[in-house]
Amino acid sequence: PRANVASTEPRAMAETIQYGDWHFAVDFSTADHSISGDTIRLTRAERALLRVFTHQAHQVVRRERLLDAIAGPDRAISDRTVDFAINRLRRKLRDSATKPCYIATQYGEGYVWMAQRRTTQRSSAGAFIVVGPVGGLHCCGHLAESSWPFIHGLTRELDRATAQRHRVVLDPDCPTDDAYTGKPPQFAVNLHFVRPRHALLDCAVTLKHFRHGGILSVNRIRITPRAPGAPAGTAELARHLLADLRRRLVYAEATVPRPDIEPLTIRQYHASLLLAKSRPQWDKTVERLETRVTEHPEDDAAAAALSTTLHRMATAANQASAREYRAALHDTPDDPGSQLLLALTLRAQYTLAGHELLAGPARHNCARDEAEIETLVMAALPRLQSNDLFALEAAKLLYFTNKAHRPLALDLVDRALSTSTTLGTTFTIAGQLYACEARIDEALAFYDQALEFAPEATDFRLYVQTLQCLALGAVADDRKAAEIATRMYHSRPTSRLPLCLYFAATEGFDLAPTLDALLDRLNMARARGHLRYLHYLIVRHFRNSTHRRNLLRRPVGLLVARFGPACIPDEVRVDMPAERHSGTGSNPAASRYAL
C-alpha cells in the first residue's frame, strides 16, 4: 500500500488525533507525546474507553456505559473493572485525578472527558477518496475491535484499485467541508457500524460526494473476520464502490440535465482516467512534463512527450473501463447503461489507439467490433432514449457503425434539438452528424453554439474545436481551420502531436518542429496506420466525395512526400485527391500539401 493509506501496524497511521499533548493513532492503539516523544501502547479496554470518551467529549458517561464498552465475550466482570481501567489510562496519559486534564470523575454518576481536540491540517485534505467518518463503534462494545482490520483493508483495496496520483486516505473522524483549512476530499466512504442481535458486526457503507453530500450508493454488509489479515470481502466491496463512483461520474443520472453538461464520450474518458490504476512511472513522467510544458509552452519536445504519455495512460484506462463494463454485464446482462458504455469503450479504442490498431492485423477486428457496438446500442436504446445524454451518444454510435441506422440517428438528434436541455452535448453531436450529411453551414453554426458551453482549456472545448476544423477542412476553408487549430495548439500544447498531421497552423505559429518529430517517428506501416485511422474514424462517414478528398489532402500529401504512394492503403485510395493517383513518391508538388 502507498504511504497515504493507514496500515494495520499502529505506527503507520495516515492520520492522528490530538488531545492535549498526546497524538493518538486513529484506532487508539498507540499515542505519541508531542513534547517528550514517548510512545504508549493502549490495551483493548483502554481503546474502548477512549472511543466512548472522545465520541461523547464533555458529557458525563455513566459507568454502565463504560462497562458495556470494555466487556468482552465474558460479561462476568465487576464494576470495579471500569475503575481499574480508568486509573491505568490516567497513569499512561500522565493525568491527575484531582486536577484532571483528560478524565474527570463525576462522583455518583460516571466520568467526563475534558480534553479539547486540536485541529491541524488534515492528511485527508485534497484526497480523492476519504474513508470516514467512522461512526457507531462506541455502541458496539468489544465487537468494535473486529472493525479495524475491515476498515484498513477497505482503505487499502480502494487505494490499490485507483490511480497512483489519487490519494485514498483513512480519516475516522473526518469533519465536514467547512472544517478543512486546505482543499477537502472529492469523495467520501462513510462507515457506520451497527451492533446487531447476533455475534457479528454490521456496517452501513455510504459513498457520497464530499462537498455537497450527494449520496451515490448505500450498502449494508456483515463483517466476517478471517485470520490472518482483513475481513473477507473488502476487495469486492471496493470494486463495487468504484463501479458506483464510475457510474455517477459518467451517467449523471441524478443530476438535472444542464445545458453545459459534457458529451458522454468525454465524461467516460475522464472517469476512466480518474479511476483506472496507472503505472507509477507514468504519473511521475506526467507530473514532470506538465510542469515543464506549463513553464515553457514552446518546448515542443516536452509537449510531444507529454502527449505520448497521456495517450498511453488513456488507452490503458479505456481498456480497464471495458473490463469493468463487461464484468458489470456479466452480473447484470440487461443493464442498458453498461451496454452503452461498453459500446463507447469499443469505439474509443480506435479513437485512442487507432494508429497502432489499424497499422497491423488488428484492423481486421473492425467489423467484429462494429457488430458488437451495434448490438449493444440497439439493446440499450429502448430504455435509454428518454435520457438525452444517452440517446445522443447512441445516435452517434449507430450513425458511425451502420449506414442503415442513419435515419434513426438523425431522428434522435432532431428530437433532441427540439426538446433537450443538454444543449452543449446536443449541439456538438448534431454538428458531427450534420457535417457528415454535407450540411456544413448548419454544422458550423451548431459548433459555435456548443462552444458557448465549453470553457477554455477543457477537453470539451478541444473536442468541439477539432470537429470545427474537420468541417472547415471538408469545404477546404484552410484559413479558418488554421486559425482554430492555432488556438488549440496555443491553449493545449499536447494537441500538437496528434493533430499536426491533419491541421495546419497560421503563419505566426511554427508547427514544423512537431510535424518533423512526428514524421521522423513513422515508418511505412505506421504511415499507413495514420491514413487508415483518419479514413476509418472520420473521412468515410462524409457522404460528399469532395469533402472526403479535401479531408485527405493534407495528410496524404505529407505522407506521400515522405514515404511515396505505397503508403496509401487501398481503402483510402478510392477517396484520396485525384492528383495523388498518379503520384510517384517525393516530388516538389507534394510541398503544397504541407502548408
Side-chain angles (χ1 to χ4, degrees):
R2 292 170 235 156
N4 55 282
V5 179
S7 168
T8 53
E9 294 298 323
R11 296 298 301 229
M13 292 298 165
E15 179 75 77
T16 60
I17 309 167
Q18 184 176 4
Y19 287 98
D21 294 328
W22 291 99
H23 291 268
F24 294 92
V26 289
D27 60 356
F28 293 107
S29 57
T30 63
D32 297 325
H33 198 271
S34 60
I35 299 174
S36 68
D38 295 339
T39 298
I40 57 173
R41 295 185 178 276
L42 299 154
T43 66
R44 186 194 66 79
E46 290 161 353
R47 295 197 295 271
L49 289 174
L50 285 167
R51 278 193 287 270
V52 175
F53 278 142
T54 56
H55 185 78
Q56 297 178 244
H58 314 297
Q59 301 176 35
V60 176
V61 183
R62 300 187 67 82
R63 293 165 56 84
E64 294 82 359
R65 174 75 185 81
L66 295 172
L67 182 63
D68 183 63
I70 65 176
D74 182 9
R75 297 296 296 264
I77 59 176
S78 69
D79 290 349
R80 295 293 296 165
T81 304
V82 173
D83 299 327
F84 292 144
I86 293 288
N87 289 334
R88 286 196 306 269
L89 184 56
R90 276 177 170 156
R91 285 196 298 272
K92 287 187 178 182
L93 298 179
R94 305 172 188 177
D95 199 20
S96 167
T98 56
K99 295 181 180 180
C101 295
Y102 295 93
I103 304 171
T105 303
Q106 193 77 14
Y107 293 99
E109 297 184 71
Y111 297 92
V112 180
W113 182 258
M114 305 289 293
Q116 294 283 347
R117 178 167 181 174
R118 296 187 180 181
T119 58
T120 58
Q121 173 67 44
R122 306 189 73 86
S123 65
S124 56
F128 175 46
I129 298 175
V130 58
V131 178
V134 177
L137 290 178
H138 64 286
C139 298
C140 297
H142 70 279
L143 291 176
E145 288 296 307
S146 63
S147 69
W148 289 103
F150 167 80
I151 295 168
H152 292 307
L154 177 60
T155 305
R156 281 196 303 272
E157 293 299 336
L158 287 169
D159 194 56
R160 287 170 179 164
T162 51
Q164 185 79 15
R165 62 195 178 280
H166 300 310
R167 295 189 307 130
V168 178
V169 178
L170 173 60
D171 188 351
D173 293 300
C174 177
T176 56
D177 177 38
D178 55 5
Y180 278 82
T181 56
K183 182 180 179 182
Q186 294 184 52
F187 300 95
V189 176
N190 300 163
L191 304 176
H192 194 93
F193 289 88
V194 180
R195 184 175 188 171
R197 296 175 181 174
H198 46 73
L200 296 176
L201 202 60
D202 280 10
C203 182
V205 183
T206 304
L207 174 66
K208 60 197 300 187
H209 275 286
F210 192 86
R211 278 190 179 276
H212 57 72
I215 294 176
L216 311 185
S217 68
V218 181
N219 296 276
R220 178 164 169 164
I221 62 172
R222 185 148 296 161
I223 310 301
T224 55
R226 66 180 183 184
T234 53
E236 184 68 9
L237 176 59
R239 188 177 78 81
H240 281 296
L241 288 171
L242 292 175
D244 291 336
L245 179 55
R246 183 188 300 274
R247 290 172 70 93
R248 172 64 177 185
L249 290 171
V250 179
Y251 287 14
E253 288 173 317
T255 62
V256 175
R258 306 186 316 270
D260 61 344
I261 198 167
E262 300 171 324
L264 201 60
T265 298
I266 296 175
R267 295 179 67 87
Q268 156 65 13
Y269 169 77
H270 288 161
S272 296
L273 282 177
L274 195 61
L275 296 177
K277 187 171 179 60
S278 59
R279 300 179 185 178
Q281 64 268 30
W282 287 353
D283 293 306
K284 293 177 182 177
T285 300
V286 167
E287 184 177 0
R288 174 176 57 82
L289 291 173
E290 282 182 337
T291 300
R292 176 66 185 176
V293 171
T294 300
E295 296 174 351
H296 304 279
E298 74 287 350
D299 189 336
D300 292 296
L306 178 57
S307 175
T308 300
T309 306
L310 291 172
H311 165 77
R312 290 173 180 167
M313 291 175 65
T315 301
N318 187 70
Q319 292 169 346
S321 293
R323 291 192 293 270
E324 286 295 327
Y325 297 137
R326 288 196 185 279
L329 286 172
H330 181 269
D331 296 337
T332 313
D334 295 326
D335 176 41
S338 297
Q339 289 170 332
L340 182 61
L341 291 174
L342 177 57
L344 276 176
T345 60
L346 292 173
R347 172 74 177 176
Q349 70 179 327
Y350 291 99
T351 305
L352 294 168
H355 309 91
E356 292 84 7
L357 292 175
L358 298 172
R363 67 180 183 275
H364 300 300
N365 296 333
C366 293
R368 180 203 64 192
D369 291 335
E370 286 182 357
E372 185 175 8
I373 290 171
E374 180 184 8
T375 300
L376 289 165
V377 174
M378 293 302 287
L381 186 58
R383 288 166 291 171
L384 295 178
Q385 58 185 323
S386 61
N387 183 314
D388 291 336
L389 201 63
F390 286 91
L392 287 163
E393 209 66 48
K396 186 174 72 173
L397 288 170
L398 290 175
Y399 189 96
F400 291 140
T401 54
N402 191 328
K403 293 180 180 179
H405 294 309
R406 279 179 167 173
L408 172 60
L410 290 167
D411 180 64
L412 290 169
V413 167
D414 288 342
R415 188 187 314 168
L417 285 169
S418 299
T419 62
S420 177
T421 58
T422 58
L423 298 179
T425 293
T426 300
F427 292 140
T428 301
I429 294 179
Q432 285 179 272
L433 270 57
Y434 276 43
C436 291
E437 290 289 307
R439 299 164 66 174
I440 300 294
D441 289 342
E442 293 172 89
L444 291 172
F446 286 139
Y447 293 146
D448 285 339
Q449 294 180 82
L451 286 173
E452 295 180 13
F453 302 99
E456 294 286 345
T458 60
D459 289 321
F460 187 9
R461 191 170 191 85
L462 186 68
Y463 183 50
V464 177
Q465 289 175 320
T466 302
L467 296 174
Q468 279 184 307
C469 288
L470 289 170
L472 291 165
V475 293
D477 191 343
D478 298 333
R479 181 190 61 79
K480 183 66 173 176
E483 290 175 357
I484 296 172
T486 300
R487 290 200 291 271
M488 288 194 290
Y489 298 149
H490 275 301
S491 66
R492 188 74 68 87
T494 53
S495 68
R496 299 169 194 170
L497 188 69
L499 298 180
C500 66
L501 187 63
Y502 312 119
F503 308 132
T506 56
E507 292 182 359
F509 186 90
D510 187 7
L511 193 59
T514 305
L515 184 57
D516 288 341
L518 173 65
L519 293 174
D520 287 343
R521 294 165 59 178
L522 299 182
N523 55 24
M524 178 67 77
R526 290 177 179 174
R528 290 170 66 84
H530 271 278
L531 290 178
R532 281 199 180 101
Y533 169 83
L534 178 64
H535 188 268
Y536 176 74
L537 281 179
I538 298 165
V539 173
R540 68 190 180 105
H541 300 297
F542 279 74
R543 305 187 72 174
N544 184 293
S545 60
T546 301
H547 294 170
R548 296 196 296 272
R549 288 196 296 272
N550 287 338
L551 288 167
L552 287 168
R553 185 160 46 95
R554 174 180 168 83
V556 165
L558 289 167
L559 294 176
V560 167
R562 178 65 64 100
F563 300 101
C567 73
I568 307 174
D570 291 340
E571 65 268 34
V572 178
R573 192 175 297 276
V574 297
D575 286 321
M576 71 182 184
E579 59 267 27
R580 300 309 312 157
H581 279 282
S582 58
T584 56
S586 299
N587 58 68
S591 64
R592 69 191 182 92
Y593 295 107
L595 295 177

